Amino acid sequence: MQEKVVTISAGERLSTVQDIMTLGRVRHMPVVHGGKLVGVVSERDLLRASLSSLTSVADDQRRAFLHVVEIARVMSSPPIVIDPDSPVEEAALVMAERKIGCLPVLDGDDLLGMLTETDLLRYFAGVWAAARGESRGEPPGEEPGEQPAPTPETDPDAGPDRGA
């Protein structure tokens, strides 16, 4: 779950959210009004609202269009949310059934973070690797925390003529 979440106001323009998403490399943003979560805007929402790149519209004209449209007109609302105590399997099921890429995690009205598809993929990849007895992030044949066998390149005393 992403705990450091940047929110955006429902009254902001699509051009602003596009800039934030591009610079922050995020695909979903929670939308707030009066400090409360009222929706989620995604890259998909931006694409749907934008003029198609297949048309002959210039980039500056597309940008001008995005500057006129308020986020509230294209965001998904009401947001589909999840409780912080919900099992990860439930979150994955909700996201798959609703065909959404993120779930805001709410404790009452407090936004705690955003659970994304990437978070779930990382979680399930780790569970799958653990079930197969594999370690993640370690070279094959080495256990986590185990030091590789010394070689002449890494330890001068490990060569074949050691002690000669």
Side-chain angles (χ1 to χ4, degrees):
M1 173 177 80
Q2 306 298 316
E3 293 178 8
K4 293 182 180 178
V5 179
V6 175
T7 62
I8 193 152
S9 170
E12 289 290 338
R13 307 293 178 192
L14 288 183
S15 57
T16 303
V17 77
Q18 182 182 36
D19 291 343
I20 294 170
M21 286 181 167
T22 301
L23 293 172
R25 299 175 62 185
V26 295
R27 292 181 292 162
H28 311 93
M29 286 187 71
V31 182
V32 295
H33 180 74
K36 295 198 187 232
L37 182 70
V38 294
V40 174
V41 65
S42 69
E43 279 185 329
R44 187 180 303 162
D45 297 326
L46 284 173
L47 289 173
R48 208 172 324 162
S50 296
L51 301 174
S52 171
S53 60
L54 299 176
T55 65
S56 61
V57 175
D59 209 29
D60 57 337
Q61 290 173 323
R62 184 175 98 39
R63 183 83 180 151
F65 171 78
L66 291 177
H67 190 68
V68 179
V69 180
E70 286 187 358
I71 293 169
R73 294 186 60 193
V74 300
M75 70 181 181
S76 300
S77 182
I80 300 166
V81 301
I82 196 153
D83 183 88
D85 297 325
S86 298
V88 69
E89 295 84 2
E90 179 184 335
L93 194 60
V94 168
M95 289 172 71
E97 288 175 349
R98 300 290 189 105
K99 296 181 177 163
I100 56 176
C102 73
L103 283 171
V105 180
L106 289 184
D107 186 9
D109 285 339
D110 294 331
L111 178 63
L112 302 180
M114 295 281 279
L115 184 66
T116 66
E117 293 166 312
T118 303
D119 297 328
L120 292 177
L121 288 170
R122 285 185 180 136
Y123 173 82
F124 286 116
V127 168
W128 181 75
R132 293 189 54 198
E134 298 174 0
S135 61
R136 291 186 52 211
E138 298 291 331
E142 294 180 18
E143 292 301 314
E146 183 179 313
Q147 295 296 320
T151 65
E153 291 81 26
T154 60
D155 183 0
D157 295 332
D161 58 354
R162 179 174 41 145

